[in-house]
Amino acid sequence: MEVKIETNELLDRLPPHLKQYIKPQDYEQYTPINQAVWRYVMRKNVNYLSQVAHESYVKGLEKTGISIDEIPSMYGMNRILKEIGWAAVAVDGFIPPNAFMEFQAYKVLVIASDIRQLENIEYTPAPDIIHEGAGHAPIIASPDYAEYLRRFGEVGSKAISSAHDIDMYEAVRELSILKESPLPTSANKEEANQLQKNHLLRIEKAEDLVEELQNKKVKPSEISLIRNLHWWTVEYGLVGTAENPKIYGAGLLSSIGESVWCMKDEVKKIPYSIDAAYQDFDITKPQPQLYVTPDFAYLQEVLEEFANTMAVRKGGWRGLNKLIESKQLGTIELSTGLQISGNFSRMIKNEDNEVVYFETEGETALSYREKEVIGHGISRHTNGFRSPLGKLRGINLSIENMGPRDLQAYNFYDGKPISFEFESGITVNGLNVTGMRNLRGELMLIQFTDCTVKYKDEVLFTPEMGDFDMAVGKEIVSAFAGAADYNSFNLVNHVSTHETVRVKLSEEEKELNGFYKTVREIRENQVLPLTASSEGKKISQVFEKLKENHPTDWLLPLEIYELSKKMDSKFSEEVLNHLLHLKKERPKVAHLIDGGLELLNTSATLKMLAAK
């Protein structure tokens, strides 16, 4: 397939720490079987989902230009998505939740460019191009939903995670990769059996680890709660009423199995609310309950309700404590607007649970309005940052509200020694060098030399540690994951412990793919009638070799039957009988064969597909 590269300015705006996850799509990696899987799923989906999906789905397919017959090119998608203000990038399977959310905040769809194996055609736990491209992309053609997705990314990227979240992410990623990896093969039958046995044992071990982590009793972090909201809306959401719901979640839109299952009475339909944040899910199994939102606008209401519970809006000791427990890069913002980004390690609280002192360890940067304060990056604060907070003892006026005359009145002279005490009992003794104010004229940083900071009998800072930069602020008003200014840190350092497996095709698999390719080319370039043509003979030859060398394959016989219906009835009947035989021999795929036959016998569907 010849691809013309189209640019999208949204991609140019992405910061380096997000660009590190982007990979080339490599369209040539898709085999003819991959293309057949895409075509089968899309034909089934358009036929069925036109009845049960939200109205924006079918319209979105047209708007985003996603083809039913072939896997979409990322470049082609970007050219079309550009018209609705979005873009798309290819990634390698799962990426960290905060990064995934941040992409959404930039109005960029993250698309796992791999495609599910034929044996997982109905559902895969791994993100793939069917799920992302045919699930997420069409729905963003709805302006209300697109804004919800963007806003969700904006809020979600600030959510604080825990060490348990990281373990869970890596475990789920490994399981999804293993389940989507083809069984290893070898020319030696005994060796092949052992390799396959080892692979299945690895899957079993990975499943056990995921189950163990899921059952582990830990306090849910912000990222785990908002991930639940994401799952029950963006991935598995229904819209309308419990009695007459419509599908909009990408996980349902991309699963020909679960999109049917979810409409059954066995699946409980619950009115959507913030309670969904506390409902966990199992990514490896069909969902026993789903949430129904009355409309897309209501999704925004619940999101804002949840955001009001997050540290990014509440701050305080709880917010700082979440950052300390996360052991990951985070940011606090003080009442003056000063933002401190680093790995927080300690805090001291007073009897009212107000933070009166905090510390970071390692590289730290100071920012204001998401821009690093000049001279206060990681080169200055290589070994962490620490500062008392609050009001001075015996002084009603907060430090940040002191003007030049107020400072003089309390002996804050540049170049003069000073000693003062906070209400918490923390004392500061040093030489006052200078102060820095924010745009409102409030002091937000004071620099001291030859400074000693004490709390009770503990020395918190000594002159030997260098200059003391004291953050000014009454309280912590916000705490969130990541850096205030992403340029302050080298964030291009993500290395997953599990990489997607690329398996080389065996000779047998190469032959089967060759048969799929031949049938695909005949279908795309067919000259009617096929009966007496060379193409007709080719199809007959492929069918004979298929029965002989690949007797269990069911999808290619369906594609051959689709074409044989335009040929002589004798051959068509032979292919149909083979499909009916396969149904008996392979009962697990009998419903898939029935689905394909039903699709071919639906004249209205054929007309719709032809129109596409």
Side-chain angles (χ1 to χ4, degrees):
M1 177 179 178
E2 188 176 340
V3 175
K4 180 181 178 182
I5 297 178
E6 297 286 347
T7 59
N8 187 320
E9 58 267 19
L10 288 176
L11 301 182
D12 298 331
R13 290 169 46 197
L14 289 174
H17 70 277
L18 290 183
K19 287 183 178 178
Q20 70 179 315
Y21 297 105
I22 301 173
K23 69 162 196 172
Q25 184 183 19
D26 186 14
Y27 199 89
E28 298 305 314
Q29 74 172 323
Y30 301 122
T31 66
I33 293 179
N34 292 154
Q35 294 286 1
V37 167
W38 171 273
R39 184 170 182 266
Y40 179 91
V41 172
M42 289 303 296
R43 281 159 60 89
K44 285 289 294 176
N45 277 359
V46 171
N47 178 47
Y48 173 67
L49 293 175
S50 60
Q51 307 163 45
V52 298
H54 186 266
E55 60 181 11
S56 60
Y57 173 74
V58 175
K59 292 178 182 176
L61 280 176
E62 296 171 3
K63 267 193 177 182
T64 51
I66 294 174
S67 168
I68 287 174
D69 287 318
E70 61 183 9
I71 298 170
S73 146
M74 297 297 299
Y75 300 120
M77 282 186 68
N78 269 314
R79 175 174 50 81
I80 296 165
L81 286 172
K82 183 178 180 180
E83 296 175 11
I84 56 176
W86 280 71
V89 294
V91 298
D92 182 24
F94 283 110
I95 64 173
N98 287 91
F100 182 89
M101 301 284 186
E102 196 174 355
F103 270 111
Q104 282 185 195
Y106 279 93
K107 301 179 78 173
V108 174
L109 284 179
V110 174
I111 296 180
S113 60
D114 292 317
I115 187 167
R116 64 195 63 178
Q117 298 297 311
L118 178 56
E119 55 266 29
N120 296 330
I121 195 169
E122 287 190 278
Y123 171 79
T124 172
D128 75 336
I129 197 164
I130 292 178
H131 171 83
E132 313 287 358
H136 287 296
I139 295 294
I140 64 166
S142 167
D144 279 354
Y145 182 74
E147 174 53 23
Y148 168 70
L149 204 61
R150 184 204 67 79
R151 180 65 179 150
F152 198 106
E154 200 169 52
V155 173
S157 63
K158 301 295 185 184
I160 300 170
S161 58
S162 66
H164 178 264
D165 294 319
I166 302 301
D167 292 341
M168 191 71 196
Y169 159 72
E170 290 291 356
V172 169
R173 178 177 167 84
E174 180 184 23
L175 177 59
S176 69
I177 289 171
L178 287 172
K179 281 199 164 186
E180 264 305 311
S181 300
L183 286 173
T185 59
S186 172
N188 183 305
K189 189 174 181 180
E190 187 176 330
E191 183 181 13
N193 288 336
Q194 187 59 47
L195 287 171
Q196 292 176 10
K197 183 180 178 181
N198 292 342
H199 182 76
L200 293 174
L201 284 173
R202 286 184 66 195
I203 290 178
E204 186 179 338
K205 185 178 178 182
E207 286 176 331
D208 290 343
L209 178 58
V210 169
E211 186 175 357
E212 178 189 334
L213 290 171
Q214 284 178 335
N215 294 332
K216 194 174 182 180
K217 298 298 181 184
V218 296
K219 185 179 179 182
S221 66
E222 287 184 349
I223 197 68
S224 69
L225 294 177
I226 204 165
R227 189 172 60 230
N228 286 347
L229 285 183
H230 193 270
W231 181 265
W232 298 121
T233 60
V234 176
E235 299 295 351
Y236 277 78
L238 299 175
V239 60
T241 63
E243 297 72 31
N244 184 29
K246 298 293 184 183
I247 298 171
Y248 75 89
L252 297 173
L253 292 173
S254 60
S255 172
I256 57 178
E258 206 155 4
S259 60
V260 175
W261 160 252
C262 76
M263 288 297 170
K264 296 184 182 295
D265 292 338
E266 294 96 307
V267 179
K268 188 177 180 181
K269 314 299 190 301
I270 306 170
Y272 181 60
S273 70
I274 197 171
D275 293 342
Y278 303 92
Q279 176 62 60
D280 292 330
F281 58 88
D282 186 342
I283 195 172
T284 66
K285 298 175 183 175
Q287 307 309 311
Q289 76 281 307
L290 296 173
Y291 291 86
V292 188
T293 181
D295 49 45
F296 291 150
Y298 184 66
L299 297 177
Q300 291 267 27
E301 289 183 35
V302 174
L303 177 60
E304 291 304 315
E305 184 182 355
F306 180 79
N308 286 334
T309 71
M310 292 173 61
V312 70
R313 292 191 181 174
K314 296 181 76 71
W317 74 268
R318 289 183 179 85
L320 177 54
N321 191 56
K322 288 178 181 179
L323 289 178
I324 293 172
E325 290 181 344
S326 76
K327 295 181 170 49
Q328 295 169 61
L329 177 63
T331 298
I332 62 171
E333 182 174 327
L334 307 182
S335 49
T336 55
L338 182 67
Q339 297 166 315
I340 300 95
S341 299
N343 286 75
F344 290 86
S345 55
R346 183 189 180 189
M347 67 174 163
I348 298 174
K349 298 184 293 180
N350 62 18
E351 60 274 10
D352 295 321
N353 273 332
E354 296 168 331
V355 179
V356 296
Y357 176 83
F358 68 87
E359 286 183 12
T360 68
E361 56 185 20
E363 295 180 341
T364 304
L366 310 185
S367 300
Y368 179 70
R369 293 189 173 183
E370 286 72 51
K371 295 293 182 185
E372 183 177 293
V373 176
I374 295 173
H376 286 278
I378 60 174
S379 59
R380 180 172 177 84
H381 305 292
T382 304
N383 300 314
F385 184 87
R386 58 202 51 77
S387 179
L389 295 174
K391 295 176 66 176
L392 299 181
R393 188 180 297 279
I395 301 175
N396 291 326
L397 191 63
S398 298
I399 302 176
E400 63 242 52
N401 295 325
M402 291 181 180
R405 290 185 179 179
D406 299 313
L407 290 171
Q408 290 177 9
Y410 294 110
N411 298 316
F412 278 86
Y413 290 97
D414 288 353
K416 299 289 185 180
I418 187 172
S419 177
F420 55 91
E421 182 179 357
F422 285 84
E423 288 183 341
S424 61
I426 294 176
T427 59
V428 178
N429 295 277
L431 187 68
N432 185 12
V433 177
T434 187
M436 185 177 292
R437 296 181 181 272
N438 62 25
L439 291 176
R440 297 190 299 270
E442 299 168 329
L443 266 175
M444 62 179 188
L445 194 66
I446 302 176
Q447 181 183 339
F448 299 90
T449 59
D450 195 24
C451 189
T452 301
V453 181
K454 293 182 180 179
Y455 177 63
K456 297 180 180 178
D457 295 330
E458 180 184 2
V459 178
L460 301 173
F461 192 91
T462 64
E464 291 74 28
M465 297 168 70
D467 290 346
F468 179 63
D469 295 305
M470 189 180 81
V472 177
K474 295 190 293 288
E475 59 185 347
I476 297 171
V477 297
S478 180
F480 53 89
D485 184 345
Y486 60 78
N487 291 309
S488 296
F489 299 85
N490 175 22
L491 302 176
V492 188
N493 52 15
H494 175 77
V495 178
S496 176
T497 55
H498 306 290
E499 297 296 327
T500 300
V501 179
R502 307 288 179 207
V503 178
K504 290 184 178 180
L505 296 178
S506 65
E507 292 304 314
E508 184 180 3
E509 289 167 331
K510 287 178 182 178
E511 180 187 57
L512 182 57
N513 271 286
F515 293 157
Y516 271 87
K517 182 180 180 182
T518 298
V519 172
R520 180 181 180 84
E521 288 173 347
I522 291 173
R523 184 179 64 247
E524 291 177 343
N525 306 301
Q526 61 182 265
V527 179
L528 296 176
L530 288 173
T531 308
S533 67
S534 58
E535 285 82 0
K537 292 177 182 177
K538 275 186 186 177
I539 292 176
S540 298
Q541 290 169 356
V542 166
F543 181 62
E544 290 304 318
K545 289 180 181 177
L546 183 71
K547 287 193 299 178
E548 182 181 344
N549 298 340
H550 309 277
T552 62
D553 184 82
W554 63 270
L555 183 52
L556 187 55
L558 266 177
E559 294 205 337
I560 291 173
Y561 182 63
E562 178 187 345
L563 291 175
S564 73
K565 292 187 73 173
K566 302 166 186 176
M567 298 170 65
D568 63 272
S569 59
K570 184 179 178 182
F571 179 59
S572 179
E573 187 177 340
E574 184 184 352
V575 179
L576 179 59
N577 286 334
H578 178 67
L579 286 166
L580 297 177
H581 172 73
L582 279 173
K583 283 178 59 178
K584 293 179 181 178
E585 292 293 314
R586 300 191 62 192
K588 287 187 177 181
V589 300
H591 65 292
L592 295 171
I593 295 172
D594 283 338
L597 293 174
E598 181 184 348
L599 190 66
L600 296 177
N601 291 327
T602 305
S603 57
T605 300
L606 291 173
K607 287 179 182 177
M608 180 170 61
L609 294 173
K612 294 280 182 181

